[in-house]
């Protein structure tokens, strides 16, 4: 059976979304051509060139490494439409104008390959109406594809079919977007603004309406509706600024133009808020114009005041009592908010009630099932739980009756009753919309299981919803050993998995002992060892807190023994007789980075942040990180024509001395923490699948550990060269005297200490130098201040 292969993609439209979609395609190694109109002056590709240059300046960065901007091929509609014939997927992402899109489709239709899928990236226009401009032979391969901004980071992609879209085309596109782009796909109905923006923007409008009702300021609302509420830390108004108030206004207008009081009983709450109109008239569109609901003046954040149309100091926080309420179990939390006397508590209950009410009333018209609504709000709006999940957790019928009472009392946004299925039948009997059998589809009156496309077999533990009772990675498979620090287990009796359980997966004595045992077990009974955890934390590094008692009792000598044991296990990982795979996702810092680089191979999710950060607490890497830098420099120098090792040390030394962290797996590779032979996985939930298969493939090919070799070091002359540049930084005020001291110790270790240039050394020799430097710093008062400051405030101390 042939499979849909995407060898090249065309993105039509070099605006904010089009350019960033192109950037993400480059991140995942998909060749891409970015099209736009021919420039009226200068080079014909001028519009695209400007857009690509803009990608290099955007924050958060759309590109994994900024240099990859050159990989985006530039084109314009006047000269290069022939290039479309080589594209397997065409993503149209021009401005949200139906007439412009239809005109473009007529222009490109003759150049579309007979197998290519064509998709419109629109936030709410009718996909069916768009398809009408296409020839009959293209309609089966046309659909909607809705990325969320910024496309590199936002997990959600909505796919929308038309009555003529072939199921095979949609399945093929879903597989590509899931596995190759690393996204969570939800199929939405072709209704105004689809699922996420329909529910999310209605929620934002309702929030703004309730803000007016309760007289709250934007900074207080953002504090209430951010992390405290289990949502994105940017809250409501800061999120609007990031999205763009003009973009938000467009989505609102789509709701206003395509809906009515007859089709949506909440329609009256869709009026554009006065404050939004005012900001738009002022040209303040949010982050893109550096002013919206908030504005930064120097280091101060100001908020917009509608009455005066001026910006006033921001920074007000919510009352602490509501923060405490929001930490309570769901059922207790909602009752406390509903019964609270203060405006902030009443506001919170109101926006949650409105969200439940809206989602229930519209479920049948916008989505196939309740799971898709919850995933859209989690992946597209940064919520920890979707509205149905929270409602179900709090007690389905009890919350339903609370909502009904508010509707009857005229407190809700509209008088529309909750659907009948809420109160009786399968949902009421099950205690909610999510069950092990699937999630509620009100159209068919059944619980619908997730789609079982072949691509999802690559996800051992896909994201699930509350109530689905999906298999948990914490208990799945067969446990071989488990204690407070680590779990050793297997899914198939062929590859052993080590999952660290400590807070932030910090590496203490228990983890070291567990990894030591895991390597022995893997060598004896398994084809390999995979170190993997099912969250956004590979490991934050050594457990400094657990070291303190030993240090207080035995001084640096006691720590030297613990560090030596950790170094021994790192070398054991490297020289194990079976493949050892570090499956990295999220943070791999300090000792976590060292655990990764000493593994036989690394499989890293795209959003992996890897680095040696010990200087932040006044220390040097102590588990072999500096030894790794020295060895890699020697290997790279040996493979080149140059004999001087220092140039090959520069990047590794700088990364460690400045605590550089790769802001993507791609940048981590550039820093040397990932190798070209390591695997980058776009979808985080495929990480374990890929890591296990890498271990099996390496084992099947007759894997043997690398030979232990001596290697050359830069010696005392290398130390002098590096310290010379550090003196200039210290004397210029760029680093403190203590920074200079720490960086000097790093230089001494990576250069091999007081030996001649070119001296051959072992890893054990350099690790001894690391331990000595690490322990000497532990006794330094300024380092102790840095450690205590980080442990008490979580922020680095500069001294």
């Amino acid at each position: 059976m042939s499979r849909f292969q995407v060898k090249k993609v065309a993105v039509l439209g070099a605006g904010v979304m089009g350019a960033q979609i192109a950037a993400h395609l480059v991140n995942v190694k998909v060749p891409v051509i970015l099209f736009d109109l021919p420039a009226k002056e200068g080079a014909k590709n001028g519009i695209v060139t400007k857009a690509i240059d803009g990608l290099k300046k955007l924050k958060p960065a759309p590109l994994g490494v900024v240099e990859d901007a050159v990989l985006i091929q530039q084109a314009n509609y006047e000269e290069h439409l022939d290039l479309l014939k080589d594209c397997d997927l065409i993503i149209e992402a021009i401005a949200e104008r139906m007439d412009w899109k239809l005109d473009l489709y007529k222009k490109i239709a003759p150049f579309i390959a007979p197998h290519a899928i064509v998709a419109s990236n629109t936030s709410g226009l009718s996909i069916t109406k768009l398809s009408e401009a296409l020839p009959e032979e293209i309609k089966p391969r046309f659909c909607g594809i809705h990325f969320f901004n910024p496309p590199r980071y936002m997990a959600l992609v909505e796919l929308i079919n038309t009555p003529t879209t072939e199921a095979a085309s949609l399945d093929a596109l879903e597989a590509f977007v899931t596995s190759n782009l690393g996204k969570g796909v939800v199929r939405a109905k072709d209704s105004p603004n689809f699922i996420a923006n329909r529910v999310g923007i209605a929620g934002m409008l309702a929030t703004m309406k309730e803000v007016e009702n309760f007289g709250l300021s934007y900074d207080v609302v953002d504090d209430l509706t951010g992390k405290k509420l289990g949502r994105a830390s940017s809250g409501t108004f800061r999120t609007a600024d990031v999205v763009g108030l003009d973009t938000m206004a467009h989505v609102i207008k789509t709701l206003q133009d395509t809906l009515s009081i007859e089709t949506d009983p909440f329609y009256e709450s869709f009026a554009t808020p006065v404050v939004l109109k005012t900001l738009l008239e002022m040209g303040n569109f949010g982050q893109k114009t550096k002013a919206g609901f908030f504005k930064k003046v120097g280091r101060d954040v100001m908020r917009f005041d509608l009455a005066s149309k001026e910006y006033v100091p921001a920074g007000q926080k919510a009352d602490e009592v509501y923060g405490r309420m929001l930490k309570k179990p769901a059922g207790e939390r909602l009752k406390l908010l509903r019964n609270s006397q203060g405006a902030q508590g009443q506001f919170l209950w109101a926006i949650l009630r409105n969200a439940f009410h809206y989602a229930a009333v519209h479920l049948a018209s916008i989505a196939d099932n309740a799971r898709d609504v919850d995933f859209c709000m989690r992946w597209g709006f940064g919520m920890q739980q979707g509205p149905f999940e929270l409602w179900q957790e709090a007690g389905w019928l009890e919350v339903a009756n609370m909502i009904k009472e508010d509707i009857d009392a005229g407190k809700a946004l509209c008088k529309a009753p909750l659907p009948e299925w809420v109160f009786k039948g399968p949902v009421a009997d099950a205690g909610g919309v999510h069950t092990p059998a699937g999630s509620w589809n009100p159209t068919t009156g059944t619980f619908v299981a997730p789609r079982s496309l072949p691509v999802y077999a690559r996800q051992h533990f896909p994201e699930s919803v509350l109530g689905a009772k999906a298999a948990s990675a914490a208990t799945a498979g067969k446990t071989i050993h488990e204690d407070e620090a680590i779990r050793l287990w297997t899914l198939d009796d062929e590859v052993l998995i080590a999952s660290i359980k400590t807070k932030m997966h910090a590496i203490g004595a228990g983890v070291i002992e567990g990894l030591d045992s895991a390597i022995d077990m893997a060598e004896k009974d398994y084809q390999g060892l995979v170190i993997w955890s099912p969250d956004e934390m590979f490991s934050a590094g050594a457990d400094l807190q657990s070291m303190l008692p030993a240090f207080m009792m035995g001084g640096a000598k006691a720590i030297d023994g613990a560090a030596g044991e950790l170094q021994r296990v790192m070398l054991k990982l490297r020289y194990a007789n079976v493949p050892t795979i570090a499956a990295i996702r999220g943070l791999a810092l300090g000792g976590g980075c060292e655990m990764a680089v000493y593994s036989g191979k690394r499989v890293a999710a795209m959003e992996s942040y890897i680095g040696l950060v010990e200087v932040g607490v006044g220390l040097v890497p102590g588990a072999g990180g500096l030894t790794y830098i020295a060895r890699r420099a020697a290997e790279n120098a040996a493979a080149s024509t140059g004999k001087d090792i220092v140039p090959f040390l520069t990047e590794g030394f700088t990364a460690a001395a400045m605590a550089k962290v790769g802001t993507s797996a791609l940048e981590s590779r550039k820093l040397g923490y990932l190798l070209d032979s390591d695997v980058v996985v776009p979808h985080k939930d495929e990480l374990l699948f890929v890591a296990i298969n890498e271990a099996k493939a390496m084992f099947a090919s007759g894997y043997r550990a690398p030979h232990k070799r001596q290697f050359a070091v830069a010696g005392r002359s290398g130390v002098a060269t590096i310290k010379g540049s550090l003196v200039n930084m210290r004397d210029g005020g760029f680093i403190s005297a203590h920074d200079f001291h720490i960086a000097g110790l790093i230089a001494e270790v990576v250069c091999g200490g007081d030996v001649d240039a070119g001296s051959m050394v072992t890893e054990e020799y350099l690790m001894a130098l690391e331990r000595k430097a690490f322990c000497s710093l532990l006794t330094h008062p300024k380092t102790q201040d840095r450690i205590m400051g980080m442990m008490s405030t979580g922020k680095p101390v500069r001294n």
Side-chain angles (χ1 to χ4, degrees):
M1 179 181 172
S2 63
R3 62 188 177 87
F4 178 64
Q5 297 184 57
V6 179
K7 296 178 182 177
K8 187 176 287 186
V9 176
V11 176
L12 312 182
V16 174
M17 285 300 289
Q20 290 196 68
I21 291 169
H24 187 60
L25 287 161
V26 165
N27 290 338
V28 296
K29 294 186 175 179
V30 176
V32 60
I33 309 170
L34 182 60
F35 280 82
D36 211 300
L37 295 165
K40 292 178 180 178
E41 296 179 1
K44 287 286 181 72
N45 287 337
I47 294 172
V48 176
T49 302
K50 184 178 179 182
I52 293 173
D53 287 342
L55 290 173
K56 303 172 188 177
K57 303 166 191 170
L58 281 179
K59 297 293 178 186
L63 289 157
V65 286
V66 71
E67 293 83 356
D68 282 353
V70 298
L71 299 177
I72 301 174
Q73 186 177 346
Q74 302 183 24
N76 64 77
Y77 305 129
E78 184 178 298
E79 299 176 307
H80 304 121
L81 286 179
D82 265 346
L83 295 175
L84 291 175
K85 294 177 181 177
D86 296 325
C87 296
D88 310 291
L89 172 62
I90 298 170
I91 300 173
E92 172 270 302
I94 69 170
E96 295 280 270
R97 282 272 302 269
M98 179 74 74
D99 53 340
W100 290 358
K101 289 178 185 282
L102 296 178
D103 182 61
L104 180 61
Y105 293 174
K106 290 172 185 173
K107 187 180 293 185
I108 66 171
F111 302 92
I112 297 171
H115 70 284
I117 292 175
V118 183
S120 175
N121 180 68
T122 172
S123 59
L125 296 178
S126 169
I127 304 302
T128 301
K129 285 184 180 178
L130 287 171
S131 72
E132 291 169 1
L134 291 167
E136 290 300 318
E137 64 271 18
I138 296 175
K139 287 181 181 180
R141 294 175 279 116
F142 178 78
C143 65
I145 184 169
H146 182 206
F147 288 85
F148 278 68
N149 190 23
R152 171 185 161 186
Y153 301 94
M154 298 304 290
L156 179 63
V157 168
E158 292 175 311
L159 294 184
I160 309 96
N161 66 312
T162 74
T164 54
T165 306
E166 282 182 347
S169 293
L170 213 60
D171 288 350
L173 186 57
E174 179 167 352
F176 171 74
V177 171
T178 299
S179 196
N180 294 85
L181 303 190
K183 300 302 175 188
V185 172
V186 168
R187 294 195 187 181
K189 293 186 178 181
D190 192 9
S191 58
N193 287 354
F194 314 129
I195 300 174
N197 273 347
R198 179 71 175 273
V199 176
I201 296 299
M204 291 183 83
L205 284 169
T207 298
M208 291 181 185
K209 195 174 183 69
E210 301 293 1
V211 167
E212 293 176 14
N213 291 344
F214 291 100
L216 303 178
S217 63
Y218 308 134
D219 42 7
V220 167
V221 170
D222 276 1
D223 190 39
L224 286 169
T225 59
K227 285 187 175 180
K228 286 185 174 74
L229 199 59
R231 298 182 178 181
S233 58
S234 50
T236 298
F237 293 100
R238 177 66 186 137
T239 297
D241 278 351
V242 171
V243 169
L245 304 191
D246 53 340
T247 302
M248 185 178 173
H250 175 81
V251 177
I252 293 169
K253 191 172 188 306
T254 302
L255 289 177
Q256 294 167 345
D257 291 348
T258 55
L259 295 171
S260 65
I261 194 67
E262 287 76 27
T263 57
D264 191 323
F266 294 80
Y267 185 77
E268 290 181 357
S269 65
F270 294 162
T272 305
V274 174
V275 64
L276 183 58
K277 280 183 183 175
T278 304
L279 287 167
L280 292 171
E281 288 167 2
M282 293 171 67
N284 293 355
F285 298 159
Q287 185 171 274
K288 66 182 76 173
T289 58
K290 303 191 186 310
F293 286 103
F294 295 97
K295 177 181 179 180
K296 201 165 184 183
V297 180
R299 294 189 176 183
D300 298 325
V301 177
M302 314 290 280
R303 65 173 170 82
F304 185 67
D305 177 68
L306 180 59
S308 64
K309 297 186 181 179
E310 300 287 342
Y311 285 87
V312 300
Q316 284 184 282
K317 298 292 183 184
D319 291 344
E320 291 182 9
V321 65
Y322 299 108
R324 292 195 292 271
M325 283 185 189
L326 291 172
K327 291 179 181 178
K328 299 287 186 183
E332 185 181 350
R333 183 192 323 158
L334 295 189
K335 285 181 196 170
L336 285 170
L337 293 174
R338 187 172 186 244
N339 296 326
S340 65
Q341 298 302 308
Q344 294 178 22
Q346 285 290 307
F347 161 79
L348 284 169
W349 162 248
I351 64 171
L352 292 171
R353 175 203 64 218
N354 295 341
F356 301 152
H357 188 191
Y358 194 86
V361 167
H362 289 293
L363 175 58
S365 64
I366 64 173
D368 178 62
N369 60 77
R371 178 181 54 251
D372 287 349
V373 172
D374 282 344
F375 276 161
C376 278
M377 301 316 294
R378 278 161 52 173
W379 296 340
F381 280 81
M383 296 183 180
Q384 289 177 5
Q385 288 182 305
F388 288 118
E389 288 180 287
L390 175 55
W391 181 350
Q392 183 164 334
E393 184 184 8
W396 184 263
L397 286 176
E398 192 168 6
V399 173
N401 284 316
M402 288 160 59
I403 299 168
K404 182 180 183 303
E405 288 172 13
D406 278 13
I407 296 170
D408 293 344
K411 295 179 180 179
L413 285 177
C414 76
K415 296 178 180 179
L418 289 172
E420 188 177 349
W421 56 260
V422 170
F423 295 101
K424 57 184 180 181
V427 171
D429 294 342
V433 290
H434 302 307
T435 71
S439 294
W440 181 247
N441 179 331
T443 303
T444 61
T446 59
F447 293 104
V448 180
R451 276 187 306 284
S452 56
L453 296 178
V455 68
Y456 294 118
R458 297 170 59 86
Q459 299 180 12
H460 287 304
F461 303 102
E463 282 196 57
S464 187
V465 286
L466 180 105
K469 297 185 179 176
S472 167
T475 55
K478 181 169 72 177
T479 300
I480 309 302
H481 165 82
E482 186 168 14
D483 55 34
E484 291 181 354
I486 200 167
R487 180 183 181 226
L488 307 180
W489 57 292
T490 180
L491 280 171
D492 56 10
D493 290 323
E494 294 181 344
V495 173
L496 187 65
I497 304 166
S499 295
I500 300 172
K501 295 170 55 182
T502 53
K503 184 178 180 182
M504 299 184 75
H505 303 166
I507 304 169
V511 173
I512 297 168
E513 185 179 335
L515 287 174
D516 194 13
S517 298
I519 298 165
D520 290 338
M521 290 179 192
E523 288 183 328
K524 181 175 181 291
D525 296 320
Y526 297 91
Q527 295 180 19
L529 170 67
V530 170
I531 304 170
W532 172 83
S533 294
D535 56 26
E536 301 292 339
M537 184 73 67
F538 180 71
S539 172
D543 188 353
L544 291 176
Q545 201 156 5
S546 71
M547 289 184 180
L548 287 179
F551 178 70
M552 297 301 290
M553 291 178 65
K557 190 175 288 187
I559 300 301
D560 183 80
E565 183 64 8
L566 179 53
Q567 290 176 342
R568 181 187 69 78
V569 172
M570 293 297 177
L571 288 174
K572 191 172 179 178
L573 264 180
R574 173 168 164 75
Y575 294 109
N577 286 325
V578 290
T580 55
I581 311 287
I584 308 161
R585 170 183 165 194
L587 299 179
L589 305 177
C593 174
E594 289 165 313
M595 185 162 57
V597 299
Y598 276 89
S599 295
K601 191 166 191 174
R602 287 138 297 280
V603 174
M606 176 64 71
E607 297 309 321
S608 295
Y609 306 92
I610 308 172
L612 298 170
V613 296
E614 287 84 353
V615 297
V617 288
L619 294 169
V620 298
L626 300 183
T627 301
Y628 167 80
I629 289 170
R631 176 175 59 77
R632 287 290 300 153
E635 290 168 350
N636 290 334
S640 76
T641 55
K643 294 183 179 179
D644 185 4
I645 297 172
V646 173
F648 297 93
L649 273 175
T650 303
E651 188 144 46
F653 165 80
T654 304
M658 296 182 66
K660 282 188 178 180
V661 175
T663 57
S664 66
L666 303 181
E667 191 173 51
S668 296
R669 178 178 277 156
K670 188 179 172 187
L671 292 176
Y673 298 133
L674 296 178
L675 307 181
D676 288 341
S677 57
D678 293 330
V679 180
V680 176
V681 181
H683 201 299
K684 60 182 176 56
D685 290 340
E686 293 186 1
L687 191 63
L688 182 59
F689 172 88
V690 175
I692 288 173
N693 280 281
E694 282 291 325
K696 290 180 179 179
M698 291 167 71
F699 181 86
S701 64
Y703 175 80
R704 299 292 299 180
H707 283 294
K708 275 196 172 189
R709 299 179 185 273
Q710 292 189 339
F711 50 89
V713 289
R716 64 180 72 88
S717 61
V719 176
T721 299
I722 294 173
K723 282 190 174 180
S725 63
L726 293 173
V727 166
N728 293 332
M729 293 182 71
R730 180 197 62 194
D731 293 349
F734 297 105
I735 60 174
S736 70
H738 193 48
D739 291 328
F740 175 82
H741 175 60
I742 296 167
L745 290 175
I746 292 173
E748 289 173 15
V749 175
V750 298
C751 292
D754 189 16
V755 297
D756 293 335
S759 295
M760 304 297 287
V761 301
T762 64
E763 287 168 297
E764 289 84 355
Y765 166 79
L766 283 179
M767 282 183 166
L769 293 182
E770 266 191 67
R771 288 200 311 277
K772 183 179 177 183
F774 183 87
C775 292
S776 72
L777 285 167
L778 272 177
T779 63
H780 198 294
K782 289 196 173 182
T783 285
Q784 291 173 359
D785 288 344
R786 289 191 183 188
I787 293 172
M788 296 309 295
M790 180 64 78
M791 289 173 64
S792 60
T793 68
K795 296 179 181 178
V797 174
R798 307 314 309 166
N799 58 4

